[in-house]
Amino acid sequence: MDWALARSEFPTLQRKTYLNTCSLGALSRRSRAAVNRFLDLWEEHGASAWYRIWLGEVQATREKVARVIGAEPGEVAILPNVSSALAVLGSCGPQAGNVVSAQMDFPTIPYAWMAKPGFEVRLAKSPDGVRTPLEAYEPLVDGETRWVATSHVFYTSGAIQDAAALSRLAHKRGARVLLDAYQATGQLPTNVRELGVDAYVTGGLKWLLGGPGVAFLYVRRELHAELHPALAGWFGHQDQFAFDSASFRPHLNARKFEMGTPATAAVYAASAGLDLILEATPEAIRRRTNALVRDLYERLRDVGYDLATPEDERERAGIVMVRLADPAAAVKALAAEGIIVDHRPGRVRVSPYFYNTELEVERFVDAIRRVAPP
Ligand SMILES: Cc1ncc(COP(=O)(O)O)c(C=O)c1O
């Protein structure tokens, strides 16, 4: 892979030291061109672009996501964001019992069930704010657990969870597993079948380089006949253009979880981002990102920063967290120097991707030592 060529796809990188992919992937020339193509089609064809072209792009996008995660296209639904995907999935089955998540998960995961009066949400605790060991989930999962819903990569530490081990634990107790892979898809080679998860959510915004407005829900095919969403819309109907208001016949595949008109401009941007990922391949991206993260981690550790990210590189993805007393002030001072990172409570969050360079990592470390010494 020619990483310098890949880097030239992202104009932002010529102006900024952009180390914030875990918040928002950089905009590629390809995504911009794809959105322009969408606008041209709109102008040229008006509504007939729907049938002839746009719905084809939506299907092509489902197919690309399926390739990235090792699923079948019929196992992927497109929704506007992860929260909506959780709402549809969470509406299936008995609306009572418990759901097990981790304290370290992105809040929208537990919120999806906290809002439902019939559910108790149990949060597995982390002893160090970096990982949540399997033993923390163990006592929480019982015969009433409907879902073990947790992250593939934690957004606050970059730690990778052993999703296959979590699936085994949940399945032994009769619970299903939902993996929030927003911080993983694209940067971690993934095969949902090998992970053994029942459902998997992810989105375009970050490591898939697709921008806001699209999320993807994988549900394994064996569950399509079993799960019946209590939320419905015409895109979930087998024959939506029959306009049959008298009966709702859902799709027989994962499209039953879709609801209304997709954000088509966002689908175009995401589809172009997926092309970049498929061309580079998650395997090569993982090797490249890993090398940058190793460099970043070691430089920061060697000058004495307290890092809330696993030391073992097999356990960490493209996020490094630096514990600081005033992370917001550090992020602001770095931005003034053209270095873009972000913060979460008590931590500065740095997330290099394949399009970054060792020089940028060095520039960041030099700058943080000046603005917020260890
Ligand atoms: C792990 C994780 N899950 C989910 C989300 C977003 O959820 P939604 O698409 O509902 O905004 C984010 C970040 O934006 C995230 O980091």
Side-chain angles (χ1 to χ4, degrees), residues 220-235:
R220 70 180 169 88
R221 61 177 177 276
E222 294 82 356
L223 294 180
H224 295 170
E226 253 175 68
L227 294 177
H228 306 292
L231 297 174
W234 69 308
F235 271 71

Side-chain angles (χ1 to χ4, degrees), residues 1-10 29-30 276 354-355:
M1 187 68 201
D2 182 345
W3 297 116
L5 185 66
R7 179 177 166 83
S8 69
E9 263 285 342
F10 301 88
R29 294 181 198 281
R30 268 210 239 179
L276 290 167
F354 66 85
Y355 44 51

Side-chain angles (χ1 to χ4, degrees), residues 22 81-84 106 108 151 153 155 180 182-183 205-206 215:
C22 70
N81 49 52
V82 162
S83 305
S84 310
F106 193 75
T108 213
S151 311
V153 169
Y155 79 111
D180 172 8
Y182 217 136
Q183 293 292 357
L205 206 59
K206 304 166 193 285

Side-chain angles (χ1 to χ4, degrees), residues 26-55:
L27 172 64
S28 66
R29 294 181 198 281
R30 268 210 239 179
S31 283
R32 181 185 283 280
V35 173
N36 283 338
R37 204 161 54 249
F38 160 76
L39 294 173
D40 290 343
L41 291 164
W42 181 2
E43 191 173 81
E44 180 68 20
H45 301 284
S48 62
W50 271 120
Y51 312 102
R52 290 176 42 203
I53 309 163
W54 289 345
L55 289 176

